[in-house]
Amino acid sequence: MFIGREQELHTLDRLYRSGKFEFAVIYGRRRVGKTALISEFTKDKDTIFFTGVETNAKQNLENLSRCIMEYHTGIATDSVFSSFQSALDYIFELARTKRIVLVMDEYPYVAHASKSLASTLQLLIDKNKDDSKLFLILCGSSMSYMEDNVLAYKAPLYGRRTAQLKITPFDFFEVCRYFTKLSALDKGMAYGMVGGTPQYLMQIDESLSMEENIKNIYLTSASFLFEEPNNLLKQEVREPAVYNAVITAIAAGCSKMSEISNKIGEDTSVCAVYLKNLIALGILKKESPYGEKASRKTIYSIEDMMFRFWYRFVPKHVSMISRGATDLAYQRIAPELSSYMGGVFEEICKQYLWKLLLAGKCPVSFSELGRWWGTNPKTKSQEEIDIMGADQDAALFGECKWTNEKIDLGVLETLVGRSGLFHYKEKHFYLFAKTGFTKGCRDRAAEMGNVALVIYEDIVKGLSDG
């Protein structure tokens, strides 16, 4: 079942309909659904679909030749072009009078083995682009390679592409659409467990409880995701052990650059490079208090849900898991699941607010959302606001509570009090609850008139309906 990616498909369809030469670069982390997207786009089009393999240039040329011959003659042959240039020249010639899509999936494997391939493509694009109907798609899972050797200014292919699509994991809305049998609460837990990466979502069995899914996916050494973070780091970076140490430090509570640096035993200048690369991969995120761009308060946290869950629960129980003590391991992590879901709930609430904004239903036309934390000058105490967003003179303030108890009036009063640290003419408040609100809270919200009370199940329903 193919879901989501409407915007990406629209972009590709628009390029295809132009009828002229187009060159799209599609990239993103492994298992995020790049090939599935391309397959969906090309399913009803004349396509030469070539997938590179991690081997030498000769083998890849043979595979490309076979793909071309099968497309052109409908017969698998052993004929091999003399070079990549002659093979690509042949494709450009075929596309002189006919719209053809050429997909080179896992392009970095081919380009690594054939160092001149990028220059050859550059030459042939420059020669043929004005009278060609070819739609060229280069796709790659190595984020660093695609950004440095395809998209970067000094890369041979720079300036030739007509579009680039960075494929990211599904948001919570798309995850809800993927799972048709799970309860609202289980959809949230599923998102918190594996995030929005399609290949990871496929590991969840909707016929089982979330407890059984957690056991099967993370607490069994033979499972698909048990080694996934380590395997992904090995594929993406040169020093996976150091990167692993950085993520482990953050998962253990080190959020500031100095804390992470001390924990892993590296200078901050070195540590900054690792953090930058992990942010580029979508594994970590960098945050400053809302409204403060360059701040000494900057912190780092794990953004990718699968990494967040794995590093929170697997490493400290790995010996137990390796010995097959799955049930015991689950008993250890079960009490922590609710507090873990608190951070996941905040992310879900932000996505809900973005959905309201895009639907024209948000009273504040914010351009970004974030957290705020700092010192209250009156009380000298540390304060925090879960969600903030502003547009000139208007701002919204949000508080998220993932608890089985109903939110009472005190939570609303605290949020209103903290909003007093900011001087906006117009203020709107959002309280997000797992279960609901007390009568006192509801009455006060109705009296104020600028408070939205949102229950988690309504978010799921709203996302699903949208």
Side-chain angles (χ1 to χ4, degrees):
M1 177 181 68
F2 185 87
I3 64 164
R5 308 299 188 203
E6 286 89 355
Q7 186 175 342
E8 291 88 347
L9 285 171
H10 174 74
T11 298
L12 292 172
D13 280 328
R14 176 177 55 80
L15 294 171
Y16 183 83
R17 289 195 305 271
S18 77
K20 61 183 181 180
F21 173 76
E22 300 286 0
F23 171 21
V25 177
I26 299 177
Y27 68 112
R29 263 180 30 203
R30 297 178 191 282
R31 316 196 200 289
V32 81
K34 301 180 299 299
T35 302
L37 167 66
I38 297 171
S39 297
E40 179 69 14
F41 165 65
T42 59
K43 65 183 181 183
D44 56 353
K45 299 173 178 67
D46 283 334
T47 304
I48 300 172
F49 204 120
F50 162 63
T51 301
V53 291
E54 201 168 8
T55 183
N56 58 22
K58 180 177 181 293
Q59 183 65 60
N60 275 310
L61 179 57
E62 289 176 359
N63 292 344
L64 174 59
S65 300
R66 189 176 300 111
C67 292
I68 296 171
M69 290 298 103
E70 285 184 3
Y71 165 80
H72 190 47
T73 67
I75 302 171
T77 70
D78 292 328
S79 300
V80 179
F81 287 92
S82 59
S83 65
F84 278 103
Q85 180 165 341
S86 62
L88 293 167
D89 241 336
Y90 189 79
I91 295 173
F92 270 104
E93 190 61 35
L94 289 175
R96 196 168 293 278
T97 57
K98 183 180 183 181
R99 190 56 153 169
I100 297 175
V101 181
L102 169 61
V103 179
M104 298 186 74
D105 200 2
E106 295 298 356
Y107 170 77
Y109 286 154
V110 192
H112 268 304
S114 179
K115 302 300 183 184
S116 63
L117 180 57
S119 297
T120 298
L121 278 168
Q122 173 194 349
L123 173 71
L124 294 176
I125 290 171
D126 291 347
K127 173 185 173 185
N128 296 285
K129 63 182 180 180
D130 293 334
D131 57 357
S132 174
K133 297 181 182 299
L134 183 67
F135 188 167
L136 172 63
I137 297 177
L138 297 189
C139 181
S141 297
S142 174
M143 301 273 282
S144 57
Y145 187 92
M146 296 299 287
E147 290 175 347
D148 295 341
N149 297 282
V150 179
L151 300 173
Y153 177 75
K154 294 183 179 180
L157 291 170
Y158 180 80
R160 275 75 184 175
R161 72 182 184 275
T162 54
Q164 68 281 326
L165 286 77
K166 183 177 182 179
I167 310 303
T168 57
F170 289 150
D171 61 14
F172 181 60
F173 160 53
E174 289 167 313
V175 170
C176 285
R177 288 171 59 190
Y178 180 84
F179 292 119
T180 58
K181 300 176 184 177
L182 295 183
S183 68
L185 285 176
D186 283 350
K187 287 178 180 179
M189 177 56 74
Y191 182 63
M193 282 171 56
V194 299
T197 300
Q199 191 72 34
Y200 303 159
L201 292 169
M202 292 171 62
Q203 307 308 307
I204 292 179
D205 186 339
E206 293 190 71
S207 68
L208 300 178
S209 67
M210 283 299 107
E211 175 180 341
E212 288 303 313
N213 273 295
I214 291 172
K215 290 177 180 178
N216 293 342
I217 294 171
Y218 286 108
L219 307 183
T220 304
S221 59
S223 71
F224 173 75
L225 288 183
F226 184 72
E227 294 284 351
E228 180 67 2
N230 289 326
N231 289 337
L232 194 145
L233 288 175
K234 288 174 184 176
Q235 293 167 340
E236 291 288 351
V237 299
R238 294 177 181 175
E239 300 173 284
V242 182
Y243 283 92
N244 179 61
V246 170
I247 305 172
T248 300
I250 293 172
C254 300
S255 59
K256 296 180 179 178
M257 173 80 77
S258 57
E259 296 170 344
I260 300 166
S261 175
N262 290 334
K263 187 72 172 180
I264 69 171
E266 296 281 359
D267 292 338
T268 54
S269 58
V270 176
C271 189
V273 175
Y274 295 126
L275 290 169
K276 180 182 177 181
N277 291 339
L278 287 168
I279 291 170
L281 287 170
I283 295 172
L284 299 184
K285 64 179 175 180
K286 177 181 178 180
E287 290 181 283
S288 295
Y290 184 86
E292 300 179 27
K293 297 300 180 184
S295 172
R296 293 182 181 178
K297 300 176 185 175
T298 295
I299 61 172
Y300 298 86
S301 58
I302 302 175
E303 180 170 33
D304 183 274
M305 292 296 178
M306 186 276 289
F307 274 80
R308 191 187 297 187
F309 192 95
W310 193 94
Y311 277 89
R312 171 77 176 262
F313 297 116
V314 174
K316 58 186 176 183
H317 299 112
V318 70
S319 297
M320 199 177 295
I321 296 167
S322 298
R323 285 168 172 77
T326 300
D327 291 340
L328 183 57
Y330 182 80
Q331 290 172 21
R332 298 283 178 87
I333 74 170
E336 299 181 48
L337 290 175
S338 183
S339 64
Y340 170 80
M341 281 299 297
V344 176
F345 187 42
E346 284 186 26
E347 177 58 32
I348 290 172
C349 295
K350 287 178 185 175
Q351 292 181 22
Y352 174 78
L353 288 170
W354 275 108
K355 185 174 175 62
L356 289 184
L357 178 73
L358 296 175
K361 297 178 181 178
C362 187
V364 179
S365 297
F366 58 85
S367 56
E368 62 177 335
L369 291 174
R371 286 191 296 148
W372 179 87
W373 61 93
T375 305
N376 186 324
K378 293 182 180 179
T379 64
K380 306 300 181 185
S381 61
Q382 289 294 308
E383 307 278 15
E384 182 175 337
I385 298 172
D386 290 342
I387 302 176
M388 264 194 74
D391 173 34
Q392 297 180 342
D393 293 333
L396 67 82
F397 302 86
E399 184 73 17
C400 311
K401 295 292 184 183
W402 189 260
T403 171
N404 290 328
E405 298 177 359
K406 292 183 176 181
I407 290 182
D408 61 21
L409 178 58
V411 175
L412 175 57
E413 291 177 335
T414 298
L415 181 61
V416 173
R418 289 173 180 172
S419 76
L421 297 169
F422 301 88
H423 304 292
Y424 292 97
K425 291 181 180 179
E426 184 182 333
K427 295 180 181 179
H428 296 268
F429 302 96
Y430 280 83
L431 293 188
F432 297 96
K434 177 184 178 184
T435 51
F437 306 88
T438 63
K439 184 178 185 300
C441 185
R442 293 198 306 271
D443 290 346
R444 179 64 177 138
E447 180 184 320
M448 289 176 63
N450 59 344
V451 181
L453 304 180
V454 186
I455 300 174
Y456 169 72
E457 286 209 9
D458 291 336
I459 292 178
V460 177
K461 184 177 185 301
L463 291 173
S464 300
D465 292 345

